[in-house]
Amino acid sequence: MNSLPRLPSRLPQVGTTIFTVMSRLATEHGAINLSQGFPDFSPHALLLERVAHHMAMGANQYPPMAGVLPLREVIAEKLETLYGAHYDVETEITVTAGATQAIFTAIAACVRSGDEVIVFAPVYDSYLPAIALQGGTARVVNLRPPAFRPDWTEVAAAIGPRTRMIILNTPHNPTGTVWTLADMADLGRLVRDTDIVLLGDEVYEHIVFADGPTAGRHESLARYAELRERSFVVSSFGKTFHITGWKVAYCAAPAALMAEFRKAHQFIVFTVHHPSQLALADFMRAEPGFAAELANFYRQKRDFFRQQLAGSRFELLPCDGTYFQLARYDKISAQPDAEFVRWLTIEKGVAAIPVSAFMPDGSDHGLIRFCFAKNDATLAAAGEKLRAV
Ligand code: PMP
Ligand code: GLN
């Protein structure tokens, strides 16, 4: 007998990520791709030179499991300088294969079958499958348009005896909302004297605009001792240094949490591309101001893109951080957002992401997300097409 094994899906609700779907559609139709979040410009030449250098010098075998020491050292210095947070390089910082792996690993290390994890919707697409694969249950707290601010009464109501973790993402993809000092204080109050662990997805930490409510200040979980002691803090070099394809990021956490993280990390990926790590360490030493300039760099892109859309029928929501801009399209169409972006890509030549893809219940606010991490020429060409819609 030759029958295929029956394999009931562990993730029956999951299809291919919207980022892959929309990028593919953009390519098929020759559309300008403002969907998936990645820059269309090159990283700094020095970074490229340093990777080639370290490959030529022989950094081609396994690096240490936690990441190369020079990179962990610059990460520790950065966390100290920016957030006044001391993390031990030996025991409290691990280099990961992108933020996606760091998030997956933190969840795998903490969440057991039956545990609940609080997430905020719109929710980044990797969180729920990662929770489900551990047998956990997501408790979704909605961030409501147009402000998309957390409602702490709702968060308090979602916390229960099974709550193991809260995952937060600030600056927030896709809404561009940035959490404030008051949010951090509320969060601290809610988790005090509990066993709840926090997972901070802070991949856009350097992209907080000074004209927003936090005046350019990123509220990292690392800033506050009370939060830090129960937190995994995740950032991604992909977002900061225009190298999303390198998949290098890190997680910082107190030693006891990091010990559990590494137990999982070593069997999920073991370690991360060696020459990239050394190159990043060299680059961060040589160009210590690069990350601090990022917010200004992207603020200009945001403003340029918003100007491009000024004469259009799209209504733009505020954007206080990240490299994403939300737009309402109700003056153009009454289609559901997923259909609208397909139409926009195929018929009008600009690809975007439907915000409903970030909603676990599929709810549709009539909003789409554009990525403005693009050359001005790309943004201008997209603007011309979008003004004609
Ligand atoms: N979290 C958020 C909010 C993101 O936007 C992204 C990617 N854009 C990630 C995590 C994943 O980052 P990485 O590419 O480093 O895995
Ligand atoms: N995080 C990126 C975005 O929001 C996409 C990353 C991916 O394709 N998985 O567009």
Side-chain angles (χ1 to χ4, degrees):
M1 209 176 91
N2 183 16
S3 65
L4 291 170
R6 276 187 307 138
L7 180 64
S9 177
R10 301 269 327 269
L11 296 171
Q13 319 299 342
V14 173
T16 304
T17 85
I18 189 67
F19 309 116
T20 299
V21 169
M22 291 314 301
S23 276
R24 192 191 300 142
L25 196 70
T27 306
E28 273 168 25
H29 293 274
I32 299 174
N33 190 1
L34 304 190
S35 64
Q36 194 176 22
F38 63 89
D40 72 345
F41 38 84
S42 298
H44 198 291
L46 177 62
L47 199 44
L48 303 181
E49 184 273 313
R50 293 322 286 166
V51 188
H53 167 82
H54 286 294
M55 279 188 173
M57 294 300 285
N60 299 305
Q61 311 309 329
Y62 297 126
M65 186 265 276
V68 300
L69 187 59
L71 182 56
R72 281 183 282 133
E73 283 170 347
V74 279
I75 293 168
E77 285 169 32
K78 167 207 142 164
L79 288 163
E80 185 99 52
T81 310
L82 285 183
Y83 308 126
H86 178 74
Y87 285 95
D88 181 75
V89 284
E90 289 302 336
T91 58
E92 301 190 317
I93 295 170
T94 301
V95 179
T96 61
T100 311
Q101 185 241 311
I103 292 162
F104 188 92
T105 304
I107 292 169
C110 298
V111 176
R112 292 158 201 252
S113 177
D115 284 350
E116 292 183 359
V117 179
I118 296 178
V119 300
F120 296 87
V123 58
Y124 186 63
D125 71 343
S126 80
Y127 305 170
L128 298 193
I131 295 164
L133 284 172
Q134 303 311 321
T137 304
R139 289 288 304 262
V140 180
V141 174
N142 285 315
L143 305 169
R144 295 208 171 72
F148 293 106
R149 303 228 61 90
D151 177 332
W152 292 102
T153 316
E154 284 185 38
V155 182
I159 292 178
R162 289 176 177 273
T163 309
R164 165 92 330 242
M165 179 183 265
I166 301 176
I167 308 181
L168 47 123
N169 169 219
T170 179
H172 185 250
N173 176 7
T175 67
T177 304
V178 175
W179 283 24
T180 62
L181 180 59
D183 291 322
M184 301 315 262
D186 282 328
L187 177 64
R189 191 171 42 76
L190 288 186
V191 297
R192 198 169 296 150
D193 300 325
T194 71
D195 291 320
I196 297 171
V197 170
L198 303 173
L199 171 52
D201 179 347
E202 304 187 5
V203 301
Y204 302 102
E205 65 178 327
H206 299 295
I207 317 179
V208 180
F209 304 125
D211 50 11
T214 57
R217 177 178 150 114
H218 166 60
E219 293 297 351
S220 175
L221 289 173
R223 267 190 204 280
Y224 305 100
E226 186 186 30
L227 297 173
R228 184 164 70 235
E229 67 189 13
R230 57 175 73 241
S231 293
F232 294 95
V233 178
V234 173
S235 185
S236 175
F237 298 114
K239 306 295 169 184
T240 304
F241 298 118
H242 316 318
I243 47 168
T244 62
W246 290 19
K247 298 298 294 184
V248 188
Y250 70 84
C251 179
L257 293 184
M258 186 48 76
E260 291 306 312
F261 181 98
R262 286 183 183 171
K263 287 181 193 174
H265 173 79
Q266 63 189 341
F267 298 119
I268 292 174
V269 67
F270 177 56
T271 190
V272 177
H273 194 254
H274 194 169
S276 304
Q277 294 189 51
L278 292 169
L280 279 161
D282 289 352
F283 182 75
M284 288 167 78
R285 288 247 176 262
E287 297 284 340
F290 188 93
E293 269 306 304
L294 202 64
N296 252 339
F297 173 79
Y298 277 123
R299 187 180 46 72
Q300 279 166 23
K301 298 229 169 269
R302 179 200 66 178
D303 293 348
F304 183 71
F305 184 58
R306 289 176 71 97
Q307 277 158 22
Q308 290 297 315
L309 292 193
S312 78
R313 290 193 291 162
F314 289 96
E315 183 197 328
L316 303 181
L317 273 63
C319 168
D320 299 325
T322 76
Y323 47 50
F324 301 116
Q325 172 65 59
L326 289 191
R328 205 181 297 286
Y329 58 87
D330 59 347
K331 294 200 181 71
I332 302 166
S333 164
Q335 290 179 91
D337 62 357
E339 280 173 36
F340 181 72
V341 290
R342 282 188 66 81
W343 173 82
L344 195 65
T345 306
I346 297 169
E347 302 297 333
K348 301 294 170 183
V350 181
I353 297 288
V355 171
S356 65
F358 291 77
M359 300 305 294
D361 63 1
S363 60
D364 182 349
H365 297 296
L367 291 171
I368 62 173
R369 188 198 80 176
F370 294 110
C371 171
F372 56 78
K374 305 292 168 190
N375 283 305
D376 286 358
T378 311
L379 297 175
E384 195 175 331
K385 288 177 187 292
L386 293 170
R387 284 193 304 277
V389 174

